[in-house]
Amino acid sequence: MTTAASDPRPKPVRLAETLRARIREGRYADGKLPTVRELTEEFGYAGQTVRDGMAILISEGLAISAGSRGYFIAGGDAGSVDPAPDTSREIKEIRLQIQALTERVASLEGRAGSGGA
């Protein structure tokens, strides 16, 4: 794999793009993605860089981590690489809920700190 040195995008983004394309091509028909070690050797990236690239695919719903067993295509179906259409809506909802909870905690901490309850 040749990665253009002039590509300004971060290495994890470039790695994720390459793996995304390979998944779409059906290169991993068994659903198992290459190991971090295999990818570090192929791309010449540090292990953390590879894990960061895999994290991008996980956040997109394209891959899952099975801990020490490695990374797999989400759902195990190489032909199904597009996340569910409601995924982005669900992520936005989760973020809003986290923000609301963060504001509640801050409010409660403020009351506790001022002596009022």
Side-chain angles (χ1 to χ4, degrees):
M1 172 72 204
T2 58
T3 304
S6 63
D7 190 340
R9 296 173 303 156
K11 291 176 182 178
V13 172
R14 290 185 272 172
L15 176 75
E17 180 180 298
T18 299
L19 291 176
R20 193 180 304 111
R22 290 178 180 179
I23 291 169
R24 286 192 178 111
E25 293 168 2
R27 284 208 194 168
Y28 310 115
D30 63 353
K32 174 91 169 82
L33 295 170
T35 65
V36 171
R37 178 176 289 156
E38 291 168 340
L39 292 170
T40 59
E41 290 173 7
E42 178 180 352
F43 289 89
Y45 295 163
Q48 187 59 52
T49 301
V50 170
R51 285 186 286 279
D52 291 346
M54 297 305 279
I56 292 170
L57 296 178
I58 291 168
S59 72
E60 293 173 351
L62 299 179
I64 58 170
S65 171
S68 62
R69 293 186 325 148
Y71 294 96
F72 296 85
I73 297 171
D77 180 8
S80 156
V81 296
D82 292 327
D86 292 330
T87 302
S88 63
R89 188 176 324 134
E90 289 177 20
I91 291 171
K92 288 177 187 175
E93 179 62 30
I94 291 169
R95 286 182 178 157
L96 290 173
Q97 290 175 4
I98 290 170
Q99 181 180 0
L101 288 171
T102 302
E103 291 169 1
R104 280 183 65 194
V105 168
S107 173
L108 290 170
E109 287 175 342
R111 280 197 257 163
S114 65

